[in-house]
């Protein structure tokens, strides 16, 4: 009966802590989407509040922020970049993994297209490059970037558009120079 009493106490306590843990784990929800929308609010105070709140969500908000970053111009991207940068400060490796995954997915969707207008190169890739330039990278994140660029380097010669090859290679090499990394060579 003592064992049953102990088990009777342990199981409910364990279930209680599991439930509380789930409550504390933020997920992509309507609040994150609303906060991302508020980054473009006409009231600057609302924009600042949105950045602070998105910082609370951290890595969970990053995929939505990156998705929106692909759709905006340079002037609109600054608040998105700031929110991503805040999340990066709390979880550099996780955020860098999300950035490089999104960057790579965008590259994969577009690099074999023949018409540069169809690719919509700017602002998509340009915003990713600007984002990477704004982060205070650690050596491990620089290595992650270098590995990603090596994958790009292998695929760029297969690109469908010479303009894409030229622009993308030039932009990546400028970014490499920013981080004092070796340039990529694509045979172009």
């Amino acid at each position: 009966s003592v064992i049953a009493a102990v088990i009777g106490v342990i199981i409910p306590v364990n279930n209680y802590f599991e439930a509380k843990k789930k409550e504390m784990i933020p997920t992509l929800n309507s609040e994150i989407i609303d906060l991302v929308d508020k980054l473009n609010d006409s009231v600057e105070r609302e924009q600042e509040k949105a950045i602070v709140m998105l910082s609370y969500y951290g890595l969970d908000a990053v995929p939505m922020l990156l998705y929106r970053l692909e759709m905006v111009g340079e002037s609109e991207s600054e608040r998105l970049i700031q929110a991503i940068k805040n999340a990066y400060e709390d979880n550099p490796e996780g955020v860098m993994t999300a950035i490089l995954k999104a960057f790579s997915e965008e590259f994969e969707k577009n690099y074999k297209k023949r018409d540069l207008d169809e690719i919509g190169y700017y602002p998509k890739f340009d915003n990713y490059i600007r984002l990477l330039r704004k982060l205070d990278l650690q050596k491990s994140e620089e290595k992650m970037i270098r590995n990603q660029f090596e994958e790009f380097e292998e695929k760029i010669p297969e690109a469908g558009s010479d303009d894409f090859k030229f622009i993308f290679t030039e932009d990546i090499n400028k970014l490499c120079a920013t981080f004092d990394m070796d340039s990529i060579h694509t045979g172009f």
Side-chain angles (χ1 to χ4, degrees):
S1 64
V2 171
I3 293 174
V6 170
I7 291 174
V9 170
I10 292 176
I11 290 175
V13 168
N14 192 28
N15 290 342
Y16 171 79
F17 284 120
E18 283 298 316
K20 285 297 181 188
K21 183 178 174 183
K22 286 180 183 176
E23 287 176 16
M24 293 178 65
I25 298 173
T27 57
L28 181 61
N29 59 32
S30 61
E31 185 175 357
I32 292 175
I33 294 167
D34 291 342
L35 289 169
V36 171
D37 288 339
K38 285 186 180 183
L39 290 174
N40 289 325
D41 196 292
S42 59
V43 179
E44 190 172 330
R45 183 171 162 82
E46 290 299 315
Q47 295 170 5
E48 291 170 5
K49 284 193 316 190
I51 289 173
V52 170
M53 289 303 298
L54 285 165
S55 297
Y56 164 76
Y57 283 104
L59 186 57
D60 288 330
V62 170
M64 176 58 78
L65 292 165
L66 292 170
Y67 174 74
R68 291 293 286 273
L69 187 65
E70 290 180 7
M71 294 193 242
V72 299
E74 184 175 342
S75 62
E76 300 169 68
S77 68
E78 286 306 312
R79 290 178 294 279
L80 291 165
I81 288 173
Q82 183 58 51
I84 296 167
K85 187 175 178 182
N86 290 349
Y88 173 82
E89 290 169 1
D90 290 337
N91 186 348
E93 189 172 326
V95 172
M96 184 57 64
T97 298
I99 291 168
L100 293 178
K101 179 180 181 231
F103 195 176
S104 180
E105 286 172 359
E106 191 58 35
F107 176 84
E108 290 292 330
K109 284 191 294 189
N110 290 293
Y111 83 104
K112 287 194 176 181
K113 292 180 179 174
R114 297 200 178 286
D115 185 0
L116 197 60
D117 292 335
E118 214 180 295
I119 296 170
Y121 185 85
Y122 294 103
K124 295 175 182 183
F125 294 111
D126 189 47
N127 283 345
Y128 280 117
I129 290 168
R130 287 182 36 264
L131 168 63
L132 290 172
R133 278 195 174 122
K134 299 243 178 183
L135 299 177
D136 298 321
L137 298 179
Q138 300 171 5
K139 288 292 179 193
S140 59
E141 283 77 48
E142 286 182 17
K143 185 176 180 180
M144 291 171 73
I145 291 172
R146 182 71 237 165
N147 291 340
Q148 182 65 61
F149 289 177
E150 287 172 0
E151 288 180 31
F152 291 157
E153 187 173 28
E154 289 176 18
K155 292 181 179 179
I156 290 173
E158 302 168 19
S161 164
D162 285 344
D163 290 336
F164 179 84
K165 289 178 192 178
F166 178 76
I167 294 169
F168 192 80
T169 302
E170 186 176 86
D171 285 348
I172 293 296
N173 283 337
K174 285 179 190 173
L175 187 61
C176 287
T178 301
F179 298 125
D180 197 29
M181 293 181 194
D182 294 334
S183 295
I184 61 171
H185 303 284
T186 61
F188 182 73

